[in-house]
Amino acid sequence: MDYRQLGASGLRVPALSFGTGTFGGKGPLFGAWGQSDAAAARRLLDICLDAGVTLFDTADVYSDGASEEVLGAAIRGRRDAVLVSTKTGLPMGDGPQDWGASRARLIRAVEDSLRRLGTDHIDLLQLHAFDAHTPVEELMATLDRLIAVGKVCYAGVSNYPGWQLMKAQAVADRHGWPRLVAHQVYYSLIGRAYEWELMPLATDQGVGALVWSPLGWGRLTGKIGRDRPIPAGSRLHDTAAFAPPVADEHLYRVVDALQAVAAETGRSVPQIALNWLLQRPTVSSVIIGARDEAQLLDNLGAVGWALSEEQMAALDAASDQLPPYPHTPYRQQEGFARLAPPLV
C-alpha cells in the first residue's frame, strides 16, 4: 500500500481507505448499500489491514449512528492500528439542536461519536456539509478547542463550497487556529467537477482530497454499458435518486474507454477507474466500499501498478466535459485560454 500525506498535515494515510456506509445499514439509502454486522465488518477490516488499508471512514448520520457502532465493535482491541474518520453536521433528528455545526451541536456530536465508536479520540473529524447558520469564527474556534483537548486530531470538511473553505482557512490563519487539512469530495471519471475550482484551491491551500463514490455510485463497475441495463440486485434501483446525476451517453462513453483500457491491461473496470483517481493531483486517499469480500479484494487490486500516460490520456478525453461559467471561457476563448492556469 502506498501512503500519502493528508494535504499539508503530518498525517500519513493509505492511498485507499475504507468507507463504512454499509455497516449496520438501515433505511431506504443505507439499507440498500449493505447491512454488515460486527462479525462481517471485522472480517472486512481484517482484509483491509492485511492489505495496508488503515483509514476507516464513517459518519454519525450513517444509519442513525449504527455505522459508527459497528465500526467501533470491529476495531475493538486494535484501535492503535487504525485511523478513524467520521463526519457530522447533517440532521440526526428533528430538534433545533440536532443539525448543523454550532458550538453546542458540534461538541455534543463529537461526544456522541466517541461513545458509539468506543474510543477517546477521532483521528479526522469532517463537517459533513456547509452550515450557513453558524459563523465561521464559531466553527473554527470550536474545532480548535476539540483539537486542544485531544478529542480530535485533525479537522476537515466534506461537500464544501470553495469560497467557504477558503474563508475558514483565512479565519484559522488570523487566529492561529489549526487549518482544515482534508476535503471529502465526490470525484470520479463521470463526475470531474471537483477539478474546476476545488482542486486548484486544494493545491494552493494544502487540502488533501478524500474521494467518495469513486465508482460513480456503482455505475463504473463494468456491469452497466450501452447494451447492458442496470442489473438486478444493483443498489442503483433503490438509490439512483440520491446519486450524482450523469447523462447516459456520457456514462457509456466513459465505460467504453474503461473497457478498452481494461482489455489492454488485464485489470477489472473498477480497478482502472480507481487507478485513474490515484494519479490525479491533490488526491490523498480514495475511499472504497464493499458489501462482501469479493468486491473488497477486487478494489484492493487498484494499487501497486499505474496506468500509462497514453491510457490516462484516453480516459481523460473520454470523460472530459465543458465546465460551467465562469470556467467556460477559459476553455473556449483564445484570450482567456492564455490566462488560464495550468492543470494542477
Side-chain angles (χ1 to χ4, degrees), residues 18 20 56-60 62 67-68 71 84-87 117:
F18 188 82
T20 65
F56 299 92
D57 181 73
T58 184
D60 58 6
Y62 291 174
S67 173
E68 289 184 327
L71 176 59
V84 174
S85 163
T86 193
K87 302 178 289 293
L117 289 163

Side-chain angles (χ1 to χ4, degrees), residues 155-179:
V157 293
S158 181
N159 308 314
Y160 246 56
W163 72 280
Q164 283 294 340
L165 176 52
M166 188 66 245
K167 188 174 179 180
Q169 299 291 62
V171 168
D173 289 346
R174 185 181 310 136
H175 294 279
W177 296 330
R179 303 179 104 234

Side-chain angles (χ1 to χ4, degrees), residues 1 13-23 33 36-37 40-49 52-59 62 67 70-71 74-75 82-87 126 184 210-212 214 285-293 295-297 299-300:
M1 181 60 60
V13 297
L16 294 179
S17 47
F18 188 82
T20 65
T22 59
F23 287 5
W33 277 7
S36 299
D37 59 15
R42 193 171 184 88
R43 175 56 184 155
L44 293 174
L45 261 70
D46 288 341
I47 296 172
C48 285
L49 291 173
V53 175
T54 55
L55 175 59
F56 299 92
D57 181 73
T58 184
Y62 291 174
S67 173
V70 172
L71 176 59
I75 64 174
V82 304
L83 297 171
V84 174
S85 163
T86 193
K87 302 178 289 293
Q126 297 156 100
Q184 191 167 141
L210 300 175
V211 178
W212 63 264
S285 189
V286 174
I287 303 171
I288 58 174
R291 286 187 287 184
D292 54 48
E293 295 181 22
Q295 284 183 340
L296 176 56
L297 291 169
N299 287 343
L300 290 172

Side-chain angles (χ1 to χ4, degrees), residues 231-275:
S234 171
R235 62 186 172 94
L236 275 169
H237 288 292
D238 297 317
T239 67
F242 302 100
V246 58
D248 286 346
E249 180 54 34
H250 183 63
L251 170 63
Y252 298 152
R253 185 167 61 249
V254 171
V255 170
D256 288 345
L258 281 167
Q259 290 175 327
V261 175
E264 291 176 9
T265 60
R267 302 283 180 174
S268 70
V269 166
Q271 289 171 355
I272 301 298
L274 294 171
N275 194 272

